[in-house]
Amino acid sequence: MTEMLLTGPKEGLFTETLREQMDTWIAKYPAGQAQSAVIPCLHILQAANEGWLTTAIMDALASYLSIPAISVYEVATFYTMFELSPVGKHKISVCTNISCMLCGSEKVMKHIEQKLNIKPGKTTDDGLFTLKEVECLGACVGAPMMLVDKQYHEFLTEDKIDDILDRLIS
């Protein structure tokens, strides 16, 4: 883990830069409503920890926000954008909800599985890719679609998928 978690009182749980980023979000909500900043704070901490959240990080966030740890766990375990174990350098999330399914998301998944020799929920041996099947990414009009890192890719074909992945491999 990076130098994210520090020892000391509540103010010293995270680096100064991380605290500043989280405090910007916390300030957007009324006093006493710090729990409202859980999602953006989890994004900040996950990005600072190579794309995933540890229990220690979630506990530290709960302490920083002065909320019960379960309130952080509920969010981190509910949303597919948060990872609770190490992930590859690039995270591929393929939508398999109804619109994408009707437009061929099963073919998309199979193609990626074969191209990268990986199953959903796993990371390639070289640590470059993690593949996830997700419920909905909110881009039904562009089905089938996938999210690679933070970039949406819609109207997928095998050629389009190959082009996207080949650019990440090189």
Side-chain angles (χ1 to χ4, degrees):
M1 182 173 5
T2 60
E3 59 179 330
M4 178 183 305
L5 293 179
L6 305 174
T7 57
K10 186 163 93 169
E11 302 79 46
L13 292 173
F14 305 108
T15 64
E16 183 178 336
T17 302
L18 292 174
R19 285 193 314 272
E20 287 173 3
Q21 292 173 12
M22 291 189 298
D23 289 347
T24 297
W25 281 98
I26 294 166
K28 293 178 186 269
Y29 302 100
Q33 296 298 316
Q35 182 170 341
S36 299
V38 167
I39 289 176
C41 288
L42 284 172
H43 278 296
I44 291 165
L45 297 173
Q46 180 170 270
N49 192 52
E50 299 177 353
W52 69 290
L53 300 164
T54 64
T55 301
I57 290 169
M58 291 185 285
D59 288 346
L61 177 59
S63 177
Y64 192 74
L65 298 176
S66 299
I67 62 174
I70 189 66
S71 297
V72 176
Y73 300 158
E74 289 170 338
V75 172
T77 59
F78 179 78
Y79 292 104
T80 59
M81 61 198 147
F82 298 118
E83 301 298 331
L84 304 178
S85 59
V87 294
K89 180 179 178 183
H90 301 288
K91 184 169 70 171
I92 303 168
S93 299
V94 178
C95 177
T96 57
N97 209 330
I98 190 70
S99 294
C100 285
M101 181 189 68
L102 292 173
C103 292
S105 63
E106 289 177 6
K107 286 182 183 178
V108 169
M109 283 297 288
K110 284 183 183 170
H111 183 73
I112 295 171
E113 287 178 35
Q114 290 172 348
K115 181 169 181 69
L116 299 178
N117 191 28
I118 188 176
K119 293 289 181 194
K122 301 296 181 189
T123 300
T124 55
D125 291 338
D126 61 5
L128 194 55
F129 296 101
T130 295
L131 178 61
K132 288 185 74 172
E133 180 179 350
V134 298
E135 232 358 77
C136 183
L137 291 168
C140 302
V141 71
M145 65 87 55
M146 67 182 177
L147 177 68
V148 179
D149 301 326
K150 293 182 180 182
Q151 180 72 44
Y152 273 43
H153 299 278
E154 301 174 323
F155 305 107
L156 295 172
T157 63
E158 288 184 4
D159 288 341
K160 219 174 181 181
I161 294 166
D162 289 344
D163 182 54
I164 293 162
L165 297 179
D166 290 345
R167 280 184 277 142
L168 295 172
I169 291 170
S170 55

